[in-house]
Amino acid sequence: MMQKIILDTDPGIDDAMAILFAEAHPDISLEAITCVYGNATIENATANALFLKKKYSLKADVVKGAEKPLVRPPVGPTVIVHGETGFGDFNAPQSNDLQADPRPAYQYIIDSVRAQPGEITLVAVGPLTNLALALQAAPDIVDLVKEVVVMGGAFGVNGHRGNVTPYAEANIHDDPHAADLVFTARWPVTIIGLDVTQESFFTRQYLDELRDEAGELGQFIWQISRFYLDFYSQKLGLEGCHVHDPSAIAYVIDKSLFSLREGPVRVVTDGPAEGHTLQKFDGRQYPHDDWRDKASQRIGVGVDDKRLLRLYRETLVAYGNPS
């Protein structure tokens, strides 16, 4: 069944991997790419999305979104991981003949889900500011969105806790107030966090084979991944990279890849644990309980990494070699 998605993203190397995965899979209709600051500035993120739209003839609208968090001071782009402009050493040429949608991303999201109630899944793989702004401006959208799928957070499952602080994952740490709003809203949220994204791994060999088998698409992913892999090798001692943002797309395509745990989720919004995501899943009653009256959401706690890697590879190889 065709799944309509709006992909809220901060391109970003693994964001580009996710965008092309969504475009390539026949069961997904990529309706729009709404951009947010994070891996890159909002200007570079939007320019990168427009570049991909032109390069791969994407039908998806590109929409410029938030440039900073709701409350906290901006952390700044993740240059050490994604390079100066977001695509590593690759500088995307400006697409002067393509323009972003004139609406801000939060308004685009509101208009889209109101026009197609129950049909659109919001897939967010960057800071959650655009989604929070949409909620603040139009609380009724909680009843209109099919599902919200978030790549973000870390819950301590499988030994995974944080990647920018001991307990915080980058997307949530960038705007913890927005994340808490999104996770406690009464719409269905599935959080694909480090607990599962760090269980899947694109090795150098995997990306080399993708380059050789998936045509120009595979060559582009290989090219932008060089900077990313250098970071993983030099800073983390790993010869490959975790499958972060593409895992959220994989969940939309095939939910059976993941096992989930249910319970309300809160986010620490200040102090040394800022950005820490915490799920209550024991069902107990406590005298002090700021989870109790919040919506129960789902988090990923297990993944069939071999099937996920096969799905990604087969999807891109088929798309990169049209018959």
Side-chain angles (χ1 to χ4, degrees), residues 201-223 225-226 229 309-310 312-314 316-318 320-321:
F201 201 64
F202 286 152
T203 64
R204 287 187 182 273
Q205 180 181 349
Y206 181 98
L207 291 167
D208 287 349
E209 291 171 354
L210 199 66
R211 172 198 60 196
D212 296 340
E213 297 173 3
E216 195 282 331
L217 189 76
Q219 293 165 26
F220 174 71
I221 288 174
W222 184 89
Q223 182 180 9
S225 71
R226 299 304 90 194
L229 263 60
L309 292 171
R310 188 163 64 246
Y312 189 84
R313 182 172 176 170
E314 290 176 352
L316 266 67
V317 169
N321 296 281

Side-chain angles (χ1 to χ4, degrees), residues 91-165:
N91 289 319
Q94 296 292 313
S95 301
N96 295 323
D97 54 333
L98 288 180
Q99 299 294 324
D101 188 278
R103 288 166 285 182
Y106 80 89
Q107 189 62 52
Y108 184 97
I109 290 169
I110 293 166
D111 293 347
S112 297
V113 299
R114 282 178 172 169
Q116 302 177 77
E119 293 185 28
I120 292 177
T121 296
L122 301 179
V123 183
V125 297
L128 296 176
T129 316
N130 289 335
L131 273 63
L133 289 169
L135 278 172
Q136 289 177 327
D140 62 293
I141 65 172
V142 297
D143 298 316
L144 304 177
V145 170
K146 181 178 180 182
E147 186 177 13
V148 180
V149 178
V150 173
M151 188 278 122
F155 296 86
V157 181
N158 304 317
H160 304 301
R161 282 176 286 276
N163 61 1
V164 293
T165 82

